[in-house]
């Protein structure tokens, strides 16, 4: 493999290119008008503008991307994550044009891209699944009856999607009908498919995912777990590896289950199997992501592996150069997704000019970055600026290094999730490992933050008053 086109933007495009360069492979960047000055464009060996700023006029134009790859004599296309990374039709087109798709084949993408099809595929392996329906639901009366049988609260979910879209928690029968209509409408808008299904709602789960690798020779391994329970709007913000709650026995059990999920669709490449873990340590298969995950750096740090390098080698027909017994966890890693969002305004995007943008540095700090000072954060894409990753020999060290790195990260011009990261890392529930996916709702609602700020202000005022009275008292002349 001599040349790779990276069909993505921002930090992930740059991160892939750095590994390619390390491997002696040339890179091609594609970019939209909004990204003309982006770091991934200047870093690549060659770069081609493929369209206007909106992604449907640039990064989602599979035919145009393939044409660029062929014109520049690239051998392969790496899709990164998002955009076309889980588009089975694009994977097929890449292969049909005698190019290598650095990812699984279309068959695996199709199966795992539909949650119901994925559940059907893994049934043979007796992998635990949340009680729910096995087929899409259209009839409201039938759906109501099934929901009552499963027992409220239940979760209505889009069959074709993820990221919290087309998902509704239903607490009782009275609100079922309106929530189902909303879920179907949102699913149709987001994925072009309004199919939904029902699952029992697990009230306080942890979100645990297992990284897997599989080569074309039938060899599959897992690279341990990532804890992804700190989320907003069902989307991850902070991830860590390893999890604080998995015992070695449970880790092995979940790892074996993840390997079986991969085998169920003849998976080849890097992928992630996601599970829910309840408060009794029962785990349930959630879905499989057929691509590189945003949070892959924490796995790289605790294993010492380069997942992009392994992706490229597997796509190039090489086998995995180690077995499960060779792998071990070393230390602890945290990742904070640095979004241009306002955490105190429901994490809404905060776009604008990065008038100050200085990255933290240190021996135990890694920043997978996509921006430079003076750039404008565009409105057209996911607002993630970078990923801040820290390492420590222990979890406590990794948290301390994260707090120091957050303090050293300087950004002006937009609101970011850095203060949220600081809040989480200082919170008792997180420090003790006693948290789940409800962390934000329980501890970070704006009214809770305002209340805590008021309390801190009152305490500070009382301390100041006490000191003032003490000082006045000392100044009084003796009788």
């Amino acid at each position: 493999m001599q040349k790779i086109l990276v069909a993505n933007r921002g930090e992930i495009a740059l991160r892939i290119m750095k590994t390619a360069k390390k491997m002696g492979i040339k890179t091609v960047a594609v970019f939209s008008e909004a990204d003309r000055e982006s770091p991934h464009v200047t870093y690549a060996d060659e770069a081609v503008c493929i369209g206007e700023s909106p992604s449907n006029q640039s990064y989602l134009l599979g035919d145009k991307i393939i044409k660029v790859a062929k014109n520049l004599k690239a051998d392969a296309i790496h899709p990164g994550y998002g955009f076309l990374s889980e588009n089975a039709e694009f994977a097929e087109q890449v292969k049909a044009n005698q190019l290598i798709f650095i990812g699984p084949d279309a068959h695996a993408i199709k199966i795992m891209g539909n949650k119901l099809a994925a559940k059907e595929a893994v049934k043979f392996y007796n992998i635990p699944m949340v009680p729910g329906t096995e087929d899409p639901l259209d009839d409201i009366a039938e759906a109501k009856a099934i929901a009552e049988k499963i027992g409220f609260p239940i979760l209505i979910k889009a069959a074709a999607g993820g990221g919290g879209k087309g998902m509704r928690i239903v607490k009782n029968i009275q609100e079922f009908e309106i929530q189902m209509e909303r879920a179907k409408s949102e699913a149709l808008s987001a994925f072009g498919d309004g199919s939904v299904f029902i699952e029992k709602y697990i009230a306080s789960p942890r979100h645990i995912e297992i990284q897997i690798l599989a080569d074309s020779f039938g060899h599959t391994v897992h690279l341990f777990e990532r804890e992804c329970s700190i989320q907003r709007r069902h989307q991850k913000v902070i991830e860590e590896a390893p999890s604080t709650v998995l015992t070695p026995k449970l880790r092995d059990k979940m790892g074996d289950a993840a390997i079986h999920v991969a085998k169920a669709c003849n998976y080849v490449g890097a992928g992630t199997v996601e599970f829910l873990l309840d408060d009794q340590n029962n785990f349930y298969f959630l879905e499989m992501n057929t691509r590189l995950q945003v949070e892959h750096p924490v796995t790289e740090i605790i294993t010492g592996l380069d997942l992009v390098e392994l992706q490229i080698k597997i796509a190039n027909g090489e086998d995995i150069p180690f077995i499960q017994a060779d792998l071990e966890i070393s230390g602890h890693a945290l990742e904070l997704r640095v979004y241009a969002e306002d955490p105190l305004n429901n994490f809404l995007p905060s776009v604008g000019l990065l008038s100050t943008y200085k990255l933290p540095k240190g021996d135990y700090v890694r920043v997978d970055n996509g921006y430079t000072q003076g750039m404008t954060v565009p409105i057209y894409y996911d607002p993630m600026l970078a990923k801040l990753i820290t390492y420590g020999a222990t979890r406590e060290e990794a948290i301390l290094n994260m707090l120091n790195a957050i303090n050293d990260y300087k950004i002006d011009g937009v609101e970011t999730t850095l203060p949220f990261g600081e809040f989480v890392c200082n919170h008792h529930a997180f420090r003790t490992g006693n948290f789940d996916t409800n962390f934000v709702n329980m501890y970070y609602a704006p009214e809770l933050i305002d209340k805590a700020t008021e309390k801190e202000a009152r305490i500070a005022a009382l301390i100041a008053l006490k000191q003032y009275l003490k000082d006045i008292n000392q100044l009084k002349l003796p009788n």
Side-chain angles (χ1 to χ4, degrees), residues 7-8 58-63 65 79 81-88 90-91 101 109:
N8 218 295
S58 51
Y59 296 108
L60 292 175
L61 298 178
D63 290 343
I65 289 169
Y81 49 69
F83 295 132
L84 296 168
S85 63
E86 293 179 287
N87 186 308
F90 179 65
F101 181 75
I109 296 173

Side-chain angles (χ1 to χ4, degrees), residues 33-109:
E33 288 292 349
D35 285 336
R36 189 171 286 277
E37 304 301 322
S38 291
H40 81 281
V41 176
T42 55
Y43 186 87
D45 295 293
E46 298 172 90
V48 177
C49 181
I50 52 170
E52 298 298 319
S53 299
S55 56
N56 63 358
Q57 298 176 41
S58 51
Y59 296 108
L60 292 175
L61 298 178
D63 290 343
K64 197 166 187 179
I65 289 169
I66 290 170
K67 186 178 180 181
V68 170
K70 293 183 74 175
N71 286 345
L72 295 181
K73 294 181 170 52
D75 304 297
I77 293 177
H78 196 309
Y81 49 69
F83 295 132
L84 296 168
S85 63
E86 293 179 287
N87 186 308
E89 185 180 340
F90 179 65
E92 283 179 335
Q93 288 177 332
V94 171
K95 189 175 180 180
N97 280 275
Q98 287 74 54
L99 295 166
I100 298 170
F101 181 75
I102 302 176
D105 64 20
H107 169 74
I109 296 173

Side-chain angles (χ1 to χ4, degrees), residues 57-279:
Q57 298 176 41
S58 51
Y59 296 108
L60 292 175
L61 298 178
D63 290 343
K64 197 166 187 179
I65 289 169
I66 290 170
K67 186 178 180 181
V68 170
K70 293 183 74 175
N71 286 345
L72 295 181
K73 294 181 170 52
D75 304 297
I77 293 177
H78 196 309
Y81 49 69
F83 295 132
L84 296 168
S85 63
E86 293 179 287
N87 186 308
E89 185 180 340
F90 179 65
E92 283 179 335
Q93 288 177 332
V94 171
K95 189 175 180 180
N97 280 275
Q98 287 74 54
L99 295 166
I100 298 170
F101 181 75
I102 302 176
D105 64 20
H107 169 74
I109 296 173
K110 282 177 184 175
I111 290 177
M112 292 300 161
N114 184 292
K115 291 181 174 63
L116 292 175
K119 286 186 173 187
E120 183 65 29
V122 304
K123 274 170 63 176
F124 174 78
Y125 293 100
N126 295 318
I127 294 167
M129 286 183 275
V130 179
T133 58
E134 297 182 359
D135 300 302
L137 295 167
D138 289 312
D139 185 86
I140 292 288
E142 179 190 4
K144 274 186 181 179
I146 292 170
E148 287 186 304
K149 185 177 179 181
I150 292 172
F152 289 95
I154 58 100
L155 199 59
I156 301 174
K157 299 172 74 174
K165 296 181 176 67
M167 184 183 293
R168 287 289 184 277
I169 299 168
V170 186
K171 297 175 183 175
N172 53 58
I173 194 69
Q174 288 75 28
E175 62 181 47
F176 180 86
E177 195 165 330
I178 188 167
Q179 294 288 35
M180 184 164 176
E181 289 302 328
R182 285 174 178 171
K184 287 169 66 70
S185 174
E186 189 173 318
L188 185 63
S189 173
F191 311 113
D193 182 350
S195 302
V196 297
F197 64 102
I198 292 174
E199 281 184 350
K200 176 68 179 174
Y201 178 62
I202 300 175
S204 300
R206 294 178 82 119
H207 190 140
I208 307 289
E209 61 186 30
I210 306 289
Q211 176 71 56
I212 65 97
L213 274 178
D215 62 29
S216 55
F217 303 98
H219 181 202
T220 306
V221 296
H222 72 82
L223 307 182
F224 312 113
E225 80 280 1
R226 295 185 288 257
E227 168 76 67
C228 305
S229 298
I230 304 296
Q231 306 178 358
R232 48 86 171 110
R233 299 194 301 274
H234 302 288
Q235 293 180 315
K236 306 158 193 169
V237 188
I238 294 177
E239 302 97 354
E240 62 179 309
S243 170
T244 61
V245 293
L246 263 61
T247 62
K249 184 177 179 181
L250 183 55
R251 177 174 293 118
D252 289 344
K253 196 173 179 182
M254 293 181 74
D256 288 343
I259 288 171
H260 284 135
V261 170
K263 289 184 179 296
C265 63
N266 298 316
Y267 198 86
V268 174
T272 298
V273 183
E274 305 201 0
F275 297 96
L276 292 181
L277 184 73
D278 69 17
D279 55 6

Side-chain angles (χ1 to χ4, degrees), residues 338-345 348-352 354 377 383 385 411-419:
V338 184
Y339 285 108
E341 293 179 344
D342 185 352
L344 287 177
N345 188 19
L348 290 177
S350 174
V351 298
L354 295 171
V377 181
L385 304 175
I411 303 178
D412 291 318
V414 298
E415 299 296 326
T416 75
T417 49
L418 288 171

Side-chain angles (χ1 to χ4, degrees), residues 331-437:
H332 201 94
L334 294 175
E335 175 181 292
L336 168 64
R337 301 188 188 190
V338 184
Y339 285 108
E341 293 179 344
D342 185 352
L344 287 177
N345 188 19
N346 199 30
F347 292 90
L348 290 177
S350 174
V351 298
L353 177 70
L354 295 171
S355 54
T356 302
Y357 192 74
K358 295 180 180 178
L359 304 180
K361 296 178 181 178
D363 292 338
Y364 302 104
V365 177
R366 165 177 164 179
V367 186
D368 285 12
N369 176 50
Y371 284 81
T372 56
Q373 187 166 292
M375 286 180 64
T376 297
V377 181
I379 62 172
Y380 307 101
Y381 318 115
D382 182 275
M384 188 165 67
L385 304 175
K387 298 180 310 202
L388 177 58
I389 308 110
T390 58
Y391 170 78
T394 65
R395 185 172 187 263
E396 290 72 24
E397 285 183 15
I399 292 173
L400 179 60
N401 290 334
M402 177 62 75
L403 286 167
N404 290 335
I406 289 171
N407 187 59
D408 290 343
Y409 210 137
K410 304 301 181 188
I411 303 178
D412 291 318
V414 298
E415 299 296 326
T416 75
T417 49
L418 288 171
F420 173 74
E422 183 177 26
F423 173 88
V424 173
C425 287
N426 279 317
H427 199 281
H428 178 73
F430 185 76
R431 297 294 282 260
T432 58
N434 184 27
F435 62 93
D436 55 43
T437 54

